[in-house]
């Protein structure tokens, strides 16, 4: 049995990132100073996990804001009002989307599932043009590797990303966000190809939307997405991670039927129905990433029960 952790607090033991962000946004410190705090935090976090003996150490879980905004940057899905003209998305554009600037407001923020955290909601429509515009996932994998630490790059999955989005201003509220799945997959393929080239042995796609009630059309879109990615994912181990609740029966069947996926992660703390599904049938030759430590209540966790 090997150990894995879905993510790790990124603020720092003394909330170093919070204070560095506030200082930067108030104009009291430079981008370089903020990046230095971020680099030091990532290094200490990776080393702490490695020293603790965790085998599957998550990478790309650091963020200046949230993982959904990071994915928006990766996909180049910048709303037109920010006047982005392509190229790599830098600090100015990233923080304009997160906080607004003198001329345009920030993007909407909403609750991250049933936690006390929030994420920046992507604004999408039929005319959005996606392009690979933030190399953070690959850069952070290489950064950890240079420290002698092998990480599992964690990327918000394409299915959940679209369902966490909203139709942009002026787009019909009935617009199907999942209709964009074939438009965003080429960027995911580029990221995966670069991670493979850099030597990544595992890649984790977070698909927490799978714990929601989904209809057949949505589950078909999920299957389609990973079928399209299958050839690109060949040669690397893929983990699809879910959390926050049980995975419904049909979603469980859809997920575990995927080819080209090495492992499946489930939250076995909040509910017990997924555990019953696993006992009733789990695909042979696949890894089970069992969520047995409650990330919301680590201080009261019963280690014997987890084991």
């Amino acid at each position: 049995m090997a150990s894995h952790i879905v993510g790790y607090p990124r603020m720092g033991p003394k909330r170093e990132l919070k204070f560095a962000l506030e200082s930067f946004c108030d104009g009291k410190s430079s981008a370089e100073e903020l990046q230095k705090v971020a680099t030091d935090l990532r290094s200490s976090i990776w080393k702490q996990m490695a020293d603790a003996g965790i085998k599957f150490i998550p990478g790309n879980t650091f963020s200046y804001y949230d993982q959904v905004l990071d994915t928006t940057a990766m996909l180049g899905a910048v709303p037109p009002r920010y006047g982005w003209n392509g190229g790599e998305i830098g600090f100015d554009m990233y923080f304009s989307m997160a906080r607004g600037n003198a001329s345009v407001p920030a993007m909407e923020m909403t609750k991250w599932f049933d936690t006390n955290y929030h994420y920046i909601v992507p604004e999408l429509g039929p005319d959005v043009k996606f392009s690979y515009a933030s190399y953070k996932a690959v850069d952070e994998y290489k950064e950890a590797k240079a420290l002698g630490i092998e990480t599992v790059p964690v990327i918000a999955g394409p299915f959940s990303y679209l369902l966490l989005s909203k139709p942009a201003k002026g787009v019909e509220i009935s617009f199907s966000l999942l209709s964009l799945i074939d438009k965003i997959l080429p960027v995911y393929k580029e990221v995966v190809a670069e991670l493979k080239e850099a030597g990544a042995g595992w890649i984790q796609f977070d698909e927490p939307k799978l714990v929601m009630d989904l209809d057949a059309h949505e589950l078909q879109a999920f299957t389609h997405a990973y079928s399209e990615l299958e050839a690109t994912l060949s040669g690397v181990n893929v983990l699809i991670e879910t959390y926050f609740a049980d995975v419904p029966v049909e979603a469980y069947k859809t997920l575990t039927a995927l080819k080209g996926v090495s492992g499946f992660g489930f939250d076995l703390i909040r509910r017990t129905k997924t555990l019953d599904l696993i006992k009733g049938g789990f695909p042979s030759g696949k890894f089970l990433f069992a969520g047995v430590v409650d990330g919301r209540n680590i201080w009261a966790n019963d280690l014997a029960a987890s084991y």
Side-chain angles (χ1 to χ4, degrees):
M1 184 159 58
S3 55
H4 168 250
I5 186 168
V6 175
Y8 193 101
R10 53 186 174 237
M11 279 294 149
K14 296 178 180 176
R15 297 193 293 168
E16 292 90 336
L17 182 60
K18 175 183 184 292
F19 297 126
L21 276 167
E22 288 172 351
S23 177
F24 170 72
C25 292
D26 289 342
K28 295 175 182 174
S29 60
S30 66
E32 290 73 25
E33 288 171 303
L34 175 58
Q35 287 169 319
K36 172 72 165 63
V37 171
T39 300
D40 290 347
L41 273 175
R42 287 194 295 268
S43 171
S44 66
I45 287 167
W46 288 326
K47 286 176 180 174
Q48 190 170 5
M49 288 189 276
D51 291 345
I54 292 170
K55 179 178 179 180
F56 295 97
I57 295 172
N60 196 40
T61 54
F62 175 85
S63 180
Y64 290 107
Y65 244 78
D66 74 82
Q67 63 273 37
V68 180
L69 179 60
D70 292 349
T71 310
T72 294
M74 181 186 88
L75 294 167
V78 181
R81 66 177 177 278
Y82 295 104
W84 180 62
N85 296 314
E88 185 175 2
I89 289 175
F91 260 27
D92 287 348
M93 187 57 60
Y94 182 88
F95 282 107
S96 289
M97 289 191 286
R99 299 173 63 92
N101 58 40
S103 54
V104 289
M107 295 167 72
E108 180 189 335
M109 184 182 281
T110 197
K111 209 170 169 86
W112 177 248
F113 291 81
D114 63 344
T115 73
N116 290 327
Y117 298 92
H118 292 76
Y119 73 94
I120 303 290
V121 184
E123 303 170 16
L124 305 177
D127 299 327
V128 64
K129 290 180 172 60
F130 298 101
S131 63
Y132 186 20
S134 169
Y135 318 125
K136 178 179 177 296
V138 179
D139 290 344
E140 289 187 14
Y141 173 77
K142 291 177 177 177
E143 188 181 317
K145 197 163 189 176
L147 296 170
I149 297 171
E150 182 64 27
T151 57
V152 178
V154 179
I155 301 169
F159 177 75
S160 291
Y161 176 79
L162 290 177
L163 288 183
L164 288 164
S165 305
K166 69 173 186 177
K169 189 175 182 180
V171 175
E172 289 290 331
I173 196 73
S174 60
F175 173 68
S176 169
L177 293 159
L178 287 175
S179 68
L180 298 171
I181 199 90
D182 286 320
K183 282 190 170 186
I184 70 171
L185 290 180
V187 179
Y188 277 87
K189 289 176 182 178
E190 286 188 73
V191 178
V192 169
E194 286 196 4
L195 285 170
K196 284 167 62 175
E197 191 178 337
W202 281 83
I203 298 174
Q204 175 177 322
F205 291 104
D206 280 4
E207 292 285 9
K209 271 288 181 177
L210 286 176
V211 304
M212 311 296 282
D213 290 326
L214 302 168
D215 62 28
H217 162 74
E218 290 168 321
L219 291 174
Q220 285 167 5
F222 174 80
T223 300
H224 171 73
Y226 284 93
S227 296
E228 287 293 309
L229 288 171
E230 192 178 321
T232 309
L233 294 170
S234 177
V236 66
N237 288 301
V238 176
L239 163 63
I240 296 183
E241 183 69 57
T242 69
Y243 36 80
F244 295 138
D246 275 326
V247 174
V249 177
E250 288 307 314
Y252 178 83
K253 290 177 183 175
T254 301
L255 174 59
T256 54
L258 288 182
K259 296 175 182 176
V261 174
S262 310
F264 308 99
F266 300 104
D267 185 337
L268 305 181
I269 296 294
R270 303 288 297 285
R271 306 284 187 275
T272 58
K273 289 180 181 174
T274 304
L275 187 55
D276 294 336
L277 294 174
I278 291 166
K279 289 176 178 177
F282 187 80
S284 62
K286 303 291 186 180
F287 290 87
L288 169 63
F289 285 75
V292 294
V293 175
D294 186 354
R296 296 167 185 258
N297 198 16
I298 52 172
W299 302 275
N301 189 75
D302 182 342
L303 289 173
S306 294
Y307 183 72

